[in-house]
Amino acid sequence: MKVTILDDWFDTLRTLPCFRKLDGHDVTVWTDHVDGVDALVERLAETEALVLFRERTAIRAPLIERLPALRLISQRSVYPHIDVDACSARGVLLCSNLHADTPSHAAAELSFGLMLAALRQIPQQMAALQAGRWQIVVGQTARGKTLGIYGYGRIGRAMAGYAQAFGMRVLVWARDESRQRAGADGLAVADSKGAFFEACDVLSLHLRLVPATRGIVTADDLARMKPGSLLVNTSRAGLIKPGALVAALNAGRPGMAAVDVYTPHIGYVTRDEFELQFSDIFDQVVAYAAGRPIHVVNPAAMTTPASSSSP
């Protein structure tokens, strides 16, 4: 099959063991990013199997309709960037392993690392040392502090384990089902959202960005935080009301923020995580080529005649 991989910015995949799974296929790897339907059509005109790097490129109907050779989109995790109905209408199968029981340890580790870096002000200390100064501030320890986890899914659960290993108290706020799961895991659950924001020394967001969670953290929520507290967000910027975090920091509540949401995420960007994710993604390509597709999102596409339109 003609396989195209988009957005491998550091040309990493060809160096991973899992890449050998594509032996025998005609593989093209693009290490830059392009926007616009015309530019993508030019790159993907002969592509039969398209491999995506998470949400780096949106695949919508105007593009799908101009890719007559396309038969498969293979990726991992959720797919808000893909028009599934348009795929089904054109006979394009979407395969995506949702890895229900596998957290992104890379993302959880980065979240915890950002917390430690902020509490000890490691970036500021490093910058001072590089400028010829030494020990400009006195940091804080994590032990004994309350880590609030907003959203108790796979990454939130991993964060709770790290916090407990560091001697922190864990407090959870989430939707009803997730709060029940946290309680069953032996964790403390806040009585209310307001009480949650008031109690945390560190508050880490671990929510998906969907219509129901957009702007779920408000200026009033942030105003409840302690003056010396820390907000960590490695999920999505849109979880916080626009402008609310900057205003809250200027007001001193919370006292600090550590984020990985305003540039392309680095939370999941490790060689180990790529090996895990793309092993699944390449398995889906191989299974499709063998006539036994796996992790199928839109089975209706298998009964839709293939497109015959031209780009």
Side-chain angles (χ1 to χ4, degrees):
M1 294 180 67
K2 290 184 180 295
V3 180
T4 299
I5 301 173
L6 294 179
D7 300 307
D8 186 6
W9 297 333
F10 296 99
D11 202 8
T12 305
L13 297 185
R14 280 185 278 219
T15 70
L16 299 179
C18 66
F19 193 76
R20 297 299 305 272
K21 294 185 177 187
L22 296 182
D23 285 354
H25 295 285
D26 182 0
V27 182
T28 300
V29 180
W30 291 95
T31 59
D32 61 345
H33 176 78
V34 295
D35 287 313
V37 171
D38 289 342
L40 286 166
V41 167
E42 184 177 351
R43 291 192 170 185
L44 303 175
E46 298 181 358
T47 298
E48 297 172 293
L50 175 60
V51 170
L52 298 181
F53 251 92
R54 298 289 293 268
E55 302 164 35
R56 291 179 179 180
T57 295
I59 308 297
R60 305 296 185 195
L63 174 61
I64 296 167
E65 291 168 357
R66 294 177 61 187
L67 300 177
L70 187 62
R71 298 292 178 266
L72 170 70
I73 298 174
S74 185
Q75 64 136 57
R76 197 170 188 262
S77 196
V78 294
Y79 37 87
H81 52 298
I82 300 174
D83 188 331
V84 178
D85 290 339
C87 287
S88 298
R90 308 294 290 188
V92 177
L93 206 63
L94 171 59
C95 293
S96 186
N97 184 352
L98 296 179
H99 57 103
D101 299 321
T102 307
S104 172
H105 293 289
E109 288 174 6
L110 180 71
S111 301
F112 206 79
L114 285 175
M115 181 197 76
L116 294 176
L119 290 177
R120 298 301 296 269
Q121 299 198 27
I122 293 174
Q124 295 90 330
Q125 298 279 25
M126 290 176 62
L129 180 61
Q130 291 167 347
R133 293 175 290 142
W134 173 246
Q135 201 167 350
I136 58 170
V137 294
V138 176
Q140 305 177 58
T141 56
R143 187 174 185 83
K145 287 186 169 54
T146 297
L147 171 63
I149 298 175
Y150 195 164
Y152 191 68
R154 292 167 294 191
I155 296 176
R157 178 178 287 174
M159 278 287 287
Y162 300 159
Q164 290 172 322
F166 271 69
M168 301 182 76
R169 177 176 180 262
V170 177
L171 184 66
V172 173
W173 184 253
R175 56 194 175 94
D176 290 345
E177 180 183 348
S178 297
R179 294 203 303 271
Q180 292 173 8
R181 190 165 59 249
D185 287 346
L187 300 177
V189 175
D191 292 332
S192 67
K193 183 183 180 187
F196 175 72
F197 275 83
E198 290 171 358
C200 297
D201 299 303
V202 180
L203 195 158
S204 191
L205 302 180
H206 298 286
L207 298 163
R208 293 195 187 280
L209 182 60
V210 296
T213 61
R214 183 173 292 277
I216 197 169
V217 177
T218 67
D220 288 342
D221 293 328
L222 297 174
R224 292 176 178 271
M225 296 185 70
K226 301 175 183 179
S229 61
L230 165 67
L231 179 80
V232 179
N233 185 7
T234 61
S235 295
R236 293 291 187 274
L239 296 172
I240 303 175
K241 286 280 189 182
L245 181 56
V246 172
L249 290 169
N250 287 334
R253 291 175 180 262
M256 299 179 288
V259 301
D260 175 38
V261 293
Y262 295 108
T263 60
H265 285 285
I266 65 169
Y268 69 95
V269 181
T270 68
R271 292 182 61 85
D272 311 86
E273 187 71 16
F274 283 178
E275 174 67 25
L276 176 67
Q277 292 193 15
F278 282 90
S279 184
D280 284 347
I281 291 169
F282 297 155
D283 281 344
Q284 291 167 176
V285 174
V286 172
Y288 177 86
R292 298 184 298 274
I294 57 175
H295 307 137
V296 176
V297 172
N298 58 336
M302 293 188 285
T303 61
T304 302
S307 167
S308 59
S309 62
S310 59

